[in-house]
């Protein structure tokens, strides 16, 4: 009997470990130390495994002791999205919880070893998101379906008939080669089902962070102007669209001020 009980306990422990490794929680829930899904300190506190964890459980702990979750507070996030009209599609789509959950997949985001560097990267990211989505109003590019974003010369990520690769998500992911590469990295059919970026908020934020880490993160030390060039330089820089550049800079300076960090030099492109 004792041997049978020990077997049951061992099996139960193994099952518990399996659950703890893969909670399968919703995007706005945390996976606790014991493998349960929920919100609040018991789930999102120091022993949190995944999801929008607090402080040490969250992504991006910097040399200054601040994590992405510490800096992107609900108040900071709400300060952006609350400027969108209630009729905006993004108002009921984008959430801080989904952003934090997505950021856990990109450990180098906001993690350059200094508190100021973390704050500047976060301010820069949300400045561009604000410009691209109109304070989280838009999930999809306005009249995006009327534009042709298929690069037929890109044979690695060929366009799929009937699909459109216009801007979607926080950084308005565009072009077949970006959808294909993002899908391969994140784990969705970017070429065959690009529309999921506008319907799954976790994938949506992950595409924005994927683009950021692959195209923008490496130029942060060159100043905010370099991030503009990396995101939309061909259209906006060198006099292409000065009002848009100025708007991005304005958002960046505002968010830096909110986070208590200087914006640095080389702000425009």
């Amino acid at each position: 009997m004792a041997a049978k009980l020990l077997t049951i306990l061992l099996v139960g422990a193994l099952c518990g470990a399996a659950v703890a490794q893969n909670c399968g929680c919703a995007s706005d829930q945390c996976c606790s130390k014991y493998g349960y899904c929920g919100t609040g300190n018991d789930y999102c506190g120091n022993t949190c495994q995944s999801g929008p964890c607090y402080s040490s459980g969250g992504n991006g702990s910097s040399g200054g002791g601040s994590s992405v979750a510490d800096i992107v507070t609900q108040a900071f996030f709400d300060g952006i999205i609350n400027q969108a009209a209630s009729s905006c599609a993004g108002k009921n789509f984008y959430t801080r919880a989904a952003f934090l959950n997505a950021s856990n997949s990109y450990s180098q985001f906001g993690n350059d070893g200094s508190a100021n560097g973390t704050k500047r990267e976060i301010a820069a990211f949300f400045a561009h998101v604000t410009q691209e989505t109109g304070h989280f109003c838009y999930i999809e590019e306005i009249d995006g379906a009327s534009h042709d974003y298929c690069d037929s010369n890109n044979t690695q990520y060929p366009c799929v008939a009937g699909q459109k690769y216009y801007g979607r998500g926080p950084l308005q992911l565009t072009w077949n080669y970006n959808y294909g590469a993002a899908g391969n990295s994140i784990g969705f059919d970017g070429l065959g089902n690009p529309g999921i970026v506008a319907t799954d908020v976790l994938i949506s934020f992950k595409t924005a962070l994927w683009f950021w880490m692959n195209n923008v993160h490496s130029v942060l030390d060159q100043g905010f102007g370099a991030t503009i060039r990396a995101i939309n330089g061909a259209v906006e820089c060198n006099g292409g669209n000065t009002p848009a550049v100025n708007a991005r800079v304005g958002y960046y300076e505002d968010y830096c001020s909110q986070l208590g960090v200087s914006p640095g030099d080389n702000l425009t492109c």
Side-chain angles (χ1 to χ4, degrees):
M1 183 67 177
K4 182 176 180 181
L5 179 60
L6 179 60
T7 300
I8 292 173
L9 289 173
L10 287 172
V11 171
L14 289 173
C15 289
V19 171
Q21 291 172 6
N22 185 18
C23 285
C25 302
S27 64
D28 60 347
Q29 294 182 320
C30 297
C31 175
S32 75
K33 174 182 178 181
Y34 301 105
Y36 295 101
C37 300
T39 58
N41 191 62
D42 289 342
Y43 299 91
C44 303
N46 290 338
T47 57
C48 175
Q49 297 186 66
S50 63
C53 304
Y54 301 157
S55 299
S56 60
N59 169 58
S61 180
S62 71
S66 296
S67 71
V68 172
D70 288 328
I71 297 167
V72 184
T73 63
Q74 191 66 57
F76 177 82
F77 192 92
D78 288 348
I80 300 173
I81 199 168
N82 284 348
Q83 295 186 58
S86 58
S87 59
C88 291
K91 190 86 168 183
N92 297 312
F93 180 71
Y94 299 111
T95 65
R96 170 182 178 265
F99 162 73
L100 292 179
N101 199 348
S103 73
N104 285 332
S105 296
Y106 298 90
S107 61
Q108 293 306 305
F109 175 77
N111 192 13
D112 75 341
S114 71
N116 284 345
T118 295
K119 291 176 180 179
R120 286 193 187 100
E121 180 163 15
I122 288 170
F125 177 81
F126 281 99
H128 289 299
V129 168
T130 299
Q131 175 68 12
E132 295 292 326
T133 64
H135 294 90
F136 285 121
C137 178
Y138 303 108
I139 305 172
E140 299 181 298
E141 178 184 356
I142 299 173
D143 295 327
S146 65
H147 300 291
D148 181 14
Y149 291 112
C150 173
D151 181 359
S152 58
N153 293 320
N154 190 295
T155 57
Q156 183 178 6
Y157 299 111
C159 303
V160 173
Q163 299 300 327
K164 295 282 189 176
Y165 304 102
Y166 54 83
R168 298 181 179 91
L171 285 182
Q172 296 289 282
L173 189 73
T174 311
W175 294 101
N176 51 304
Y177 47 80
N178 281 324
Y179 275 93
N184 285 351
S185 175
I186 296 167
F188 70 96
D189 186 2
L191 293 175
N193 185 22
I196 195 172
V197 178
T199 59
D200 186 314
V201 67
L202 183 57
I203 288 178
S204 195
F205 268 117
K206 282 186 175 182
T207 63
L209 288 164
W210 169 86
F211 184 88
W212 184 269
M213 297 308 297
N214 282 278
N215 298 279
V216 187
H217 180 77
S218 63
V219 303
L220 287 167
D221 60 352
Q222 299 174 32
F224 183 70
T227 70
I228 302 175
R229 188 173 294 107
I231 288 178
N232 211 22
V235 176
E236 297 180 9
C237 292
N238 302 315
N241 190 340
T242 300
V245 170
N246 291 339
R248 292 178 194 270
V249 173
Y251 293 135
Y252 174 64
E253 291 179 322
D254 179 23
Y255 299 154
C256 281
S257 178
Q258 290 184 43
L259 299 178
V261 65
S262 66
D265 301 321
N266 303 318
L267 299 183
T268 65
C269 62

